[in-house]
Amino acid sequence: MPRLFFALWPDDDTRKQLQLVMQSIPRLRGKAVQPENLHITLAFLGQVNDEMVDGLEVAAMQIKARRFELKLDTIGWWRKAGILWMAPAVIPEELDLLVARVNEVSKECGIALDGRPFKPHLTLARKAVLANHQIQNLSVNWQVKDFALVQSITHHSGAQYSVRRSYSLLS
Ligand code: 2AM
């Protein structure tokens, strides 16, 4: 049973911008997310029965949602979870609509979601220990043109993600 999630998967340009951000965070302690693994989760599905995966992949093709610009302009740290993240100060309406559609389609395919409110964030590092300093003037402009169904494989060394399928957004 694959472990799946829907995500915004950065294009090459956005990934380069994110790498620059990571390089400019001083004394980053913790476990930095590998550059090729950086993403924003739209919906975490967990283990999905093999029989359901094909239906899900096809159903997601019916999602009609628009492209949008995502400005990641806020860096923060969840102390308890030890997560250092980047997020948009303003959540575009298109992103909320996309998440709502992805959730609907997943439920229609029989997948139970955890129902936690959506807090869009891109995890930069885990087990991060950080003084409560502010990092300013760092932002990433992401032209979001698609979203993806991603599989997570857990190794001793950490998680490896692979995009199973990506879906274009409308221009
Ligand atoms: P995180 O970056 O805040 O840990 C793959 O695990 C992705 O799904 C990660 O981006 C993770 O968010 C997200 N996710 C959301 N809910 C999860 C859960 N219950 N278990 C594992 N990952 C979850």
Side-chain angles (χ1 to χ4, degrees):
M1 279 207 287
R3 181 179 160 94
L4 302 178
F5 59 98
F6 281 106
L8 299 182
W9 200 252
D11 55 78
D12 289 347
D13 172 66
T14 306
R15 224 172 265 285
K16 277 186 200 134
Q17 293 184 59
L18 288 165
Q19 273 180 272
L20 289 176
V21 166
M22 292 190 78
Q23 285 160 12
S24 42
I25 299 175
R27 301 182 306 279
L28 173 60
R29 283 187 284 161
K31 201 164 181 293
V33 174
Q34 293 299 306
E36 67 274 15
N37 273 348
L38 295 166
H39 66 274
I40 293 182
T41 297
L42 298 173
F44 181 74
L45 310 182
Q47 310 275 357
V48 177
N49 283 330
D50 291 304
E51 312 86 73
M52 286 182 177
V53 177
D54 289 348
L56 178 69
E57 285 192 343
V58 172
M61 288 164 69
Q62 310 307 320
I63 293 178
K64 303 231 178 324
R66 301 199 77 82
R67 293 180 178 189
F68 54 95
E69 181 177 9
L70 190 62
K71 197 161 189 243
L72 300 176
D73 50 6
T74 307
I75 292 186
W77 178 48
W78 289 326
R79 179 188 291 267
K80 214 168 146 198
I83 287 183
L84 180 71
W85 48 262
M86 224 180 169
V90 177
I91 301 176
E93 194 191 0
E94 293 92 336
L95 175 56
D96 275 336
L97 291 171
L98 174 60
V99 169
R101 288 294 294 126
V102 157
N103 284 335
E104 270 170 29
V105 162
S106 303
K107 282 184 204 149
E108 281 161 18
C109 290
I111 296 161
L113 300 172
D114 63 14
R116 278 185 290 179
F118 175 60
K119 270 197 221 166
H121 66 280
L122 182 144
T123 299
L124 295 170
R126 298 180 195 282
K127 298 184 182 155
V129 184
L130 210 68
N132 224 359
H133 64 260
Q134 288 207 308
I135 302 153
Q136 284 166 358
N137 299 326
L138 291 174
S139 82
V140 167
N141 274 314
W142 183 352
Q143 303 298 327
V144 181
K145 297 185 182 130
D146 50 26
F147 67 101
L149 181 64
V150 184
Q151 180 161 351
S152 166
I153 301 162
T154 311
H155 299 288
H156 290 303
S157 51
Q160 182 207 334
Y161 302 131
S162 73
V163 172
R164 287 182 69 107
R165 203 176 262 237
S166 69
Y167 303 92
S168 295
L169 295 170
L170 303 171
S171 45

